[in-house]
Amino acid sequence: MVGVVGLGTMGAGIAEVFARAGLRVIGVEADPEALARGRGHLERSTGRAVDRGKLTGGERDEILGRITLTTSRDDLRDADLVVEAIPEILDYKVSLLEDLDRICKPETVLATNTSSLSVTAVAAATGRPGRVVGMHFFNPAPVMRLVEVVGTVVTEPSVVAGITELSVRLGKTPVTVGDRAGFVVNRLLLPYLNHAAVLLDLGLAGRDEIDTAMRLGVGLPMGPFALLDLIGLDTAYEIMGVLFDETRDRRHAPAPVLRELVTAGLLGRKTGRGFHGFHGFPGDETAPREPERVAGVTFGVAGDDTSSIAEALVKAGFAESDDPDVLLRLSDRPVVEHAVRVRRPSSLVGVHLVGDQVAELAATVLTSPEAARAAAGLMAAIGRTPVPCKDRAGFVVDALLYPYLNDAVRMYDSGYASIADIDAAMRLGCGYPAGPFEMIESLGLARVRDGLRALYAEHREPAYAPAPLLDQLVTAGMTAFPRP
Ligand code: 3HC
């Protein structure tokens, strides 16, 4: 029998996962109101599965029938495993673990679903630190296939092995790691999300543009702001705080806009509003934009490999000109240096094609609003989603992606996790189409290294300097990471 303490979004999802695997579950909440909310989560989630034809009504009843809900922790005395999923506040977790240690039989394994707090600190609150382990699920727990199993220096190896086996029985893929803030996924994911919030605050691009660029350009299931809203901005804020405390890396300081939204009670999906549903961000859907009118606009294309875009525009009915309304400068670097060399700098717009669907459009300080709008219209006319942004190193996608990839290389090089585990964790924990090492290899090691150098040159941010391992592999002419 398994206990789950805390039936918020994550706890209820975890209880559902156990019950779906045929285990009996006792779900515990602090008071009757919270318990009713937990019951609501369980009923909605399983009801949705029935609506989609994934479960029959009978199966749903069986799953819910395996879950007993209670407000009494004492009901956990005979549990073999208790997973806590209460808010990310160390004092709360420590006091809960002290209680569970007193209530549960000595052999019960106590697991924490903490996202970033020290499992060791939680374990030390009990008289059984060897039987305390991290069991970190991902939101939505019934869907995401990863479980990070976190062993501390004192966790008994048999406990880690048991939780790993159990995770497989739950239909999950376990990745076993040591106790460092953020483990694998949150250590790589949250700085990327925080960075997106910082870039939004700096006005690099609008909220929806950044979300779209990462979804359509990189193939991520959600853009960073949609994902922040799913995770909960309070949770994201807490995790960033813990990461910052451990690393003192200023990139890990929570973005000011996160603090503002959290203070205002706009926590994301759980409160109905967060980055989305908030009136006022650039790119908010509440201010629908007119489709750009581009009939009759003339264009020019400069840079490398201009033929395919020129052909597509001509095919779409636009005329190429020597003195065009819009001069599209293909580049993966800022384009202002090109703008100052052309006859009409106000007509020049930087274009960075990302994948098959996205065109990042960099307006320089000299670009006219008309040329910027026309460039967006031209890209839409050839089937690419325009992502208007400022003329900065990396534009949107590379500025967000490359530091994340660099962090993954540093993590591997530190010996914390293997390439295979890091790749699997990001694919299965976040639904990414590929892990960071797979992404670097498909983009090209040299391209990522050079992109990082450009980001470093612009921002002088030490963390953007290419990881020494990446740099050395490129120097050695390698196109893939060595795998054992
Ligand atoms: N509960 C249960 N099931 C859900 C669900 C939920 N809240 N949300 C979606 N699902 C199920 C649907 O029923 C559907 O199942 P089916 O394929 O069997 O019919 C499936 O998930 C796909 O759902 P949808 O078609 O409605 O939606 P999408 O295709 O857009 O997928 C998503 C939704 C699975 C959330 C996808 O967008 C995704 O993978 N997003 C990334 C989520 C992510 O990164 N999570 C990790 C966050 S980090 C974290 O949790 C760590 C923590 O410590 C902060």
Side-chain angles (χ1 to χ4, degrees):
M1 192 228 305
V2 177
V4 178
V5 184
L7 297 174
T9 321
M10 282 307 289
I14 294 168
E16 182 183 330
V17 169
F18 283 122
R20 276 179 181 248
L23 294 161
R24 282 206 307 118
V25 183
I26 297 185
V28 184
E29 257 299 358
D31 53 53
E33 291 76 38
L35 201 65
R37 276 197 300 277
R39 179 177 289 113
H41 288 309
L42 286 162
E43 285 173 355
R44 265 192 307 282
S45 179
T46 50
R48 187 174 147 147
V50 173
D51 293 344
R52 288 175 165 249
K54 302 287 169 184
L55 284 179
T56 65
E59 286 165 337
R60 178 197 188 208
D61 292 345
E62 275 176 31
I63 290 169
L64 293 179
R66 284 189 206 109
I67 305 175
T68 309
L69 298 177
T70 170
T71 53
S72 169
R73 288 178 185 173
D74 288 336
D75 292 345
L76 296 171
R77 73 182 72 81
D78 294 326
D80 303 299
L81 165 71
V82 179
V83 183
E84 73 77 20
I86 65 170
E88 284 292 284
I89 296 169
L90 186 60
D91 288 351
Y92 292 5
K93 300 221 189 237
V94 163
S95 123
L96 170 63
L97 267 279
E98 282 168 353
D99 247 16
L100 293 176
D101 192 31
R102 193 175 36 75
I103 294 165
C104 299
K105 56 189 183 184
E107 54 282 18
T108 304
V109 171
L110 304 179
T112 170
N113 178 54
T114 182
S115 336
S116 59
L117 294 174
S118 161
V119 178
T120 312
V122 173
T126 70
R128 63 179 90 190
R131 301 193 72 70
V132 179
V133 69
M135 191 176 191
H136 186 214
F137 290 82
F138 293 81
N139 193 354
V143 183
M144 308 314 286
R145 281 178 40 219
L146 180 71
V147 172
E148 286 175 326
V149 180
V150 186
T152 72
V153 285
V154 290
T155 313
E156 290 164 22
S158 62
V159 169
V160 172
I163 295 295
T164 304
E165 270 167 41
L166 174 65
S167 304
V168 173
R169 187 174 156 199
L170 299 175
K172 305 289 182 190
T173 301
V175 164
T176 309
V177 287
D179 187 21
R180 284 204 209 160
F183 316 130
V184 171
V185 171
N186 284 344
R187 182 63 168 259
L188 296 178
L189 177 72
L190 268 292
Y192 145 71
L193 298 176
N194 197 49
H195 189 191
V198 169
L199 294 183
L200 179 71
D201 236 5
L202 291 175
L204 176 79
R207 177 203 63 191
D208 290 353
E209 283 72 19
I210 295 175
D211 267 356
T212 303
M214 296 313 286
R215 215 163 35 75
L216 300 183
V218 187
L220 308 185
M222 293 175 141
F225 301 112
L227 183 52
L228 278 164
D229 281 349
L230 175 77
I231 291 172
L233 305 192
D234 50 343
T235 304
Y237 185 83
E238 296 287 346
I239 297 174
M240 289 316 302
V242 173
L243 287 184
F244 181 77
D245 286 345
E246 182 159 311
T247 64
R248 299 285 150 179
D249 179 339
R250 64 186 170 159
R251 292 178 312 141
H252 296 163
V257 65
L258 274 182
R259 180 194 41 75
E260 188 184 353
L261 291 171
V262 170
T263 309
L266 307 178
L267 306 182
R269 283 198 192 179
K270 60 181 138 184
T271 58
R273 287 198 305 166
F275 279 99
H276 289 267
F278 176 81
H279 302 253
F281 282 118
D284 195 278
E285 78 273 6
T286 49
R289 274 150 292 170
E290 288 287 305
E292 309 298 343
R293 290 181 217 290
V294 283
V297 164
T298 59
F299 75 91
V301 197
D304 294 335
D305 198 14
T306 56
S307 55
S308 60
I309 199 156
E311 276 165 26
L313 283 167
V314 168
K315 205 165 155 202
F318 297 96
E320 203 165 357
S321 159
D322 288 340
D323 184 21
D325 299 318
V326 191
L327 177 55
L328 302 166
R329 182 65 172 77
L330 292 174
S331 176
D332 59 1
R333 296 279 184 276
V335 292
V336 69
E337 65 187 77
H338 301 293
V340 293
R341 288 200 229 110
V342 299
R343 201 176 332 151
R344 276 201 295 128
S346 61
S347 68
L348 187 138
V349 177
V351 180
H352 183 223
L353 303 177
V354 188
D356 298 334
Q357 298 188 60
V358 169
E360 293 177 320
L361 298 175
T364 76
V365 282
L366 302 169
T367 306
S368 70
E370 295 75 30
R373 276 200 300 274
L378 290 176
M379 290 303 114
I382 61 169
R384 283 195 175 256
T385 301
V387 172
C389 60
K390 289 186 180 173
D391 187 37
R392 299 287 184 271
F395 305 127
V396 174
V397 170
D398 292 355
L400 285 172
L401 191 62
Y402 287 1
Y404 149 73
L405 299 176
N406 208 29
D407 284 347
V409 178
R410 287 183 197 278
M411 176 182 278
Y412 162 65
D413 208 23
S414 76
Y416 180 59
S418 68
I419 289 178
D421 279 353
I422 297 172
D423 273 348
M426 296 312 293
R427 268 192 275 102
L428 303 175
C430 304
Y432 279 20
F437 294 91
E438 294 159 337
M439 279 191 192
I440 297 173
E441 287 167 354
S442 89
L443 289 163
L445 275 66
R447 178 170 156 194
V448 175
R449 191 268 315 260
D450 293 346
L452 283 162
R453 282 184 173 171
L455 282 170
Y456 176 72
E458 185 156 302
H459 297 280
R460 307 288 159 160
E461 167 57 63
Y464 296 164
L469 174 64
L470 177 62
D471 204 25
Q472 286 171 15
L473 288 173
V474 176
T475 308
M478 305 284 286
T479 54
F481 284 85
R483 290 176 172 82

